[in-house]
Amino acid sequence: MESENEEEIITTSPQEKTMMLTKTRQYVTPYLPPPVVKTIHAIDSNPVFTSYTTEPSMAILVSTLLCFVVWNVLKIIGAVVGGGKSTLHLDDADDVLADTLATAKNRGKDGSGSGGSDKEEIFYDDTVVLCGSTGSGKTALLYQMCGSNGGLVPTVMSMKATVGYIKSSSSTVRIIDYPGHPSLSSQLPTALTSSSKKKQNPTRIIFTVDSTKPVADGAELLYSILTNATVRSFWENMVSKNNDTSKIPIVIVCTKQDVKNAKNWKRMKIQLRTELDKIRKVVLKSTKNNKSKDVNEGGGGEEILTLGVPGKTLDFEKLGEDIPVSIHFTSVSCVTGDGMDNLKEFVTSGVIVD
C-alpha cells in the first residue's frame, strides 16, 4: 500500500508542475504583444522542446526569471560584502589607501605622473587630498594635473586611492585621489589626517563637484568632512603647531564646464550653500530632540558638531571659529583645459588664483 502511494506521488508531481505552467501561460498570454505570443506557440509546437515538457515556453521563461533573480541577489550580496571592507588599517595590502606609497615607475622626466605598483618610495614635500562624490571628475583631474598625454583619459570608479605627483622648480607634491564610493566615505578622515614619519601631512584639499548634476551627494560628503571631530582637531593642531594664523585652504572645483548645461562656480556655490544649510537644519533639529530625550532619561548626551552660527543662514566665510579652513570656488574642464593652470598653481604652491 505504501509503495502504491509513493508511486502515485511520483507520477502526479510532474503533472502538477505542468498544470501550474499551463495556468501561468493562460494568465500571461493576453497581456503579451503578438510577436511574443507567436514565439511561445512556435516553441510549444516544436517537437524538440515538447519531448521534455508539454509547456516548454513557460519552463524556459520561469528558468530565465529564476536566473535573473539569483543573479541580482548575488550582486547585492557582493556589493554589501565588498563595500563593507574595513579600511582602518593602513598597512593592509587590500586597504583603500594601500597604494598611496606609489612608485616612480610611471613618472615623467619632470617628476609628474601617477604611481606604479612596485611600492618604491618617492620623496615629496607636500600632500594634497583630492576628494568628492562618485563621478565628479576626480581621477580625470588627477591625470590632467600630473601631465597625462593624449587628451582626456577614460576613468572608472575605483575602490582604492590613486596617487599622482607634480614636480615644480622648488618642490614635489603628492596628490591622493580618494575614491568617492559612499561605502568608503567613513574612512576619508584617515586620508585627510594621515601622516608618515618622513612625509608631510595633507595641507590643502581639492573637493570636486559635478557642475552638470544636483549637489546633494557632494554637499553631504562635504558636510561630513567639515563636521568630523578628528579632522577638525587635526586642522587645529596643525595650524597651532606651525604658529600659522592662516587657515587650511579647500578649493571646491566645479568640473565638466565644457558640457552644455554646466553651471558656473557662482551658481554651484549658491546651490551647495543651500544644500549644506538644509543638512545643518536637519542635524540641529535631530540634536535638539536627542538632547531632550537624554535629559528626560538622565543622560549627558554627546555633542554634535555643526557649521556656522545657529539661526543664521550658512556663510562659507563664517563657518565657525573652531573650523580653521577657508573655502574657495573655481571652474575647470578637463576637456578644454580651462581653469587647469590656476588649479595646478594651487596644488604646487598653495596660492589661490582668482
Tab-separated table of all heavy atoms in Angstrom, residues 16-17 38 58 60 69 80 100 119 124 134 138 147 158 161 243 254 268 273 338 340:
chain	number	residue	atom	x	y	z
A	16	GLU	N	1.337	18.063	-11.813
A	16	GLU	CA	1.019	19.296	-11.095
A	16	GLU	C	1.884	20.460	-11.576
A	16	GLU	O	1.407	21.584	-11.729
A	16	GLU	CB	1.212	19.089	-9.598
A	16	GLU	CG	0.169	18.174	-8.970
A	16	GLU	CD	0.440	17.960	-7.498
A	16	GLU	OE1	1.517	18.409	-7.024
A	16	GLU	OE2	-0.395	17.352	-6.812
A	17	LYS	N	3.157	20.171	-11.795
A	17	LYS	CA	4.056	21.206	-12.308
A	17	LYS	C	3.612	21.689	-13.680
A	17	LYS	O	3.619	22.878	-13.981
A	17	LYS	CB	5.489	20.679	-12.373
A	17	LYS	CG	6.114	20.404	-11.016
A	17	LYS	CD	7.523	19.872	-11.167
A	17	LYS	CE	8.139	19.584	-9.804
A	17	LYS	NZ	9.493	19.022	-9.917
A	38	LYS	N	3.394	34.667	-30.547
A	38	LYS	CA	3.751	33.828	-31.692
A	38	LYS	C	4.973	32.972	-31.383
A	38	LYS	O	5.048	31.789	-31.751
A	38	LYS	CB	4.005	34.717	-32.906
A	38	LYS	CG	4.223	33.951	-34.201
A	38	LYS	CD	4.397	34.920	-35.362
A	38	LYS	CE	4.621	34.148	-36.663
A	38	LYS	NZ	4.796	35.073	-37.821
A	58	MET	N	6.958	28.132	-21.116
A	58	MET	CA	6.846	28.589	-19.734
A	58	MET	C	8.015	28.086	-18.886
A	58	MET	O	8.493	28.776	-17.982
A	58	MET	CB	5.521	28.112	-19.137
A	58	MET	CG	4.303	28.831	-19.677
A	58	MET	SD	4.332	30.626	-19.356
A	58	MET	CE	4.884	31.265	-20.945
A	60	ILE	N	11.049	27.620	-19.967
A	60	ILE	CA	12.194	28.490	-20.310
A	60	ILE	C	12.039	29.840	-19.631
A	60	ILE	O	13.005	30.400	-19.080
A	60	ILE	CB	12.293	28.652	-21.841
A	60	ILE	CG1	12.662	27.315	-22.493
A	60	ILE	CG2	13.324	29.719	-22.195
A	60	ILE	CD1	12.606	27.341	-23.997
A	69	VAL	N	16.731	36.550	-10.945
A	69	VAL	CA	16.584	36.842	-9.517
A	69	VAL	C	17.835	36.426	-8.750
A	69	VAL	O	18.357	37.183	-7.920
A	69	VAL	CB	15.338	36.122	-8.951
A	69	VAL	CG1	15.303	36.228	-7.423
A	69	VAL	CG2	14.070	36.713	-9.546
A	80	VAL	N	27.339	44.356	-0.800
A	80	VAL	CA	27.345	44.531	0.651
A	80	VAL	C	28.664	44.048	1.257
A	80	VAL	O	29.297	44.736	2.049
A	80	VAL	CB	26.168	43.782	1.296
A	80	VAL	CG1	26.287	43.787	2.807
A	80	VAL	CG2	24.856	44.409	0.872
A	100	THR	N	48.925	54.369	-1.660
A	100	THR	CA	49.384	55.750	-1.578
A	100	THR	C	50.907	55.848	-1.515
A	100	THR	O	51.472	56.920	-1.735
A	100	THR	CB	48.782	56.452	-0.345
A	100	THR	OG1	49.072	55.683	0.823
A	100	THR	CG2	47.282	56.593	-0.497
A	119	LYS	N	55.746	49.840	-5.247
A	119	LYS	CA	55.893	50.408	-3.908
A	119	LYS	C	57.280	51.007	-3.657
A	119	LYS	O	57.762	50.998	-2.544
A	119	LYS	CB	55.586	49.346	-2.837
A	119	LYS	CG	54.189	48.745	-2.937
A	119	LYS	CD	53.137	49.761	-2.570
A	119	LYS	CE	51.763	49.113	-2.432
A	119	LYS	NZ	51.289	48.404	-3.571
A	124	TYR	N	58.537	63.450	-1.357
A	124	TYR	CA	57.740	64.612	-1.734
A	124	TYR	C	57.722	65.586	-0.566
A	124	TYR	O	58.038	65.249	0.572
A	124	TYR	CB	56.319	64.203	-2.112
A	124	TYR	CG	55.640	63.315	-1.103
A	124	TYR	CD1	54.945	63.853	-0.029
A	124	TYR	CD2	55.711	61.934	-1.212
A	124	TYR	CE1	54.335	63.043	0.901
A	124	TYR	CE2	55.092	61.114	-0.282
A	124	TYR	CZ	54.410	61.673	0.772
A	124	TYR	OH	53.809	60.868	1.697
A	134	THR	N	31.137	60.306	-6.069
A	134	THR	CA	31.381	59.441	-7.218
A	134	THR	C	30.975	60.126	-8.514
A	134	THR	O	29.914	60.734	-8.605
A	134	THR	CB	30.572	58.129	-7.078
A	134	THR	OG1	30.970	57.468	-5.872
A	134	THR	CG2	30.831	57.214	-8.252
A	138	LYS	N	37.196	63.390	-10.284
A	138	LYS	CA	38.444	63.443	-9.511
A	138	LYS	C	39.625	62.854	-10.269
A	138	LYS	O	40.682	63.487	-10.392
A	138	LYS	CB	38.263	62.696	-8.180
A	138	LYS	CG	37.201	63.254	-7.280
A	138	LYS	CD	37.094	62.482	-5.982
A	138	LYS	CE	36.661	61.047	-6.229
A	138	LYS	NZ	35.314	60.942	-6.824
A	147	GLY	N	50.127	65.574	-15.834
A	147	GLY	CA	50.789	65.603	-17.137
A	147	GLY	C	50.453	64.464	-18.046
A	147	GLY	O	51.308	64.004	-18.804
A	158	SER	N	36.751	53.634	-8.787
A	158	SER	CA	37.764	52.841	-8.104
A	158	SER	C	37.390	52.667	-6.641
A	158	SER	O	36.678	53.476	-6.064
A	158	SER	CB	39.131	53.534	-8.205
A	158	SER	OG	40.097	52.845	-7.443
A	161	ALA	N	42.505	54.303	-3.364
A	161	ALA	CA	43.049	55.626	-3.636
A	161	ALA	C	44.126	55.539	-4.720
A	161	ALA	O	44.871	54.570	-4.799
A	161	ALA	CB	43.647	56.213	-2.359
A	243	ASN	N	52.345	77.630	14.213
A	243	ASN	CA	52.212	79.040	14.598
A	243	ASN	C	51.721	79.879	13.424
A	243	ASN	O	52.223	80.970	13.151
A	243	ASN	CB	53.557	79.578	15.107
A	243	ASN	CG	54.002	78.894	16.378
A	243	ASN	OD1	53.182	78.611	17.250
A	243	ASN	ND2	55.293	78.607	16.482
A	254	CYS	N	34.422	72.983	-9.553
A	254	CYS	CA	33.210	72.668	-10.313
A	254	CYS	C	33.642	72.142	-11.683
A	254	CYS	O	34.105	72.901	-12.537
A	254	CYS	CB	32.344	73.913	-10.468
A	254	CYS	SG	31.936	74.676	-8.886
A	268	MET	N	26.968	77.188	-8.534
A	268	MET	CA	27.251	75.996	-7.737
A	268	MET	C	27.473	76.358	-6.271
A	268	MET	O	27.071	75.610	-5.368
A	268	MET	CB	28.470	75.269	-8.292
A	268	MET	CG	28.266	74.650	-9.666
A	268	MET	SD	27.057	73.299	-9.648
A	268	MET	CE	27.948	72.049	-8.752
A	273	ARG	N	25.699	75.865	-0.867
A	273	ARG	CA	25.402	76.519	0.414
A	273	ARG	C	23.973	76.206	0.869
A	273	ARG	O	23.731	75.918	2.046
A	273	ARG	CB	25.589	78.030	0.279
A	273	ARG	CG	25.347	78.811	1.571
A	273	ARG	CD	25.518	80.286	1.344
A	273	ARG	NE	24.571	80.776	0.356
A	273	ARG	CZ	24.666	81.963	-0.257
A	273	ARG	NH1	25.689	82.763	0.022
A	273	ARG	NH2	23.760	82.348	-1.127
A	338	ASP	N	40.369	74.588	-19.460
A	338	ASP	CA	40.056	75.850	-18.782
A	338	ASP	C	40.140	75.675	-17.271
A	338	ASP	O	39.556	74.745	-16.699
A	338	ASP	CB	38.638	76.323	-19.156
A	338	ASP	CG	38.530	76.731	-20.613
A	338	ASP	OD1	39.589	76.969	-21.232
A	338	ASP	OD2	37.404	76.821	-21.127
A	340	MET	N	42.679	74.847	-15.495
A	340	MET	CA	43.656	73.879	-15.004
A	340	MET	C	44.940	74.547	-14.512
A	340	MET	O	45.549	74.093	-13.532
A	340	MET	CB	43.981	72.861	-16.095
A	340	MET	CG	42.846	71.909	-16.430
A	340	MET	SD	42.262	70.946	-15.015
A	340	MET	CE	43.760	70.127	-14.504
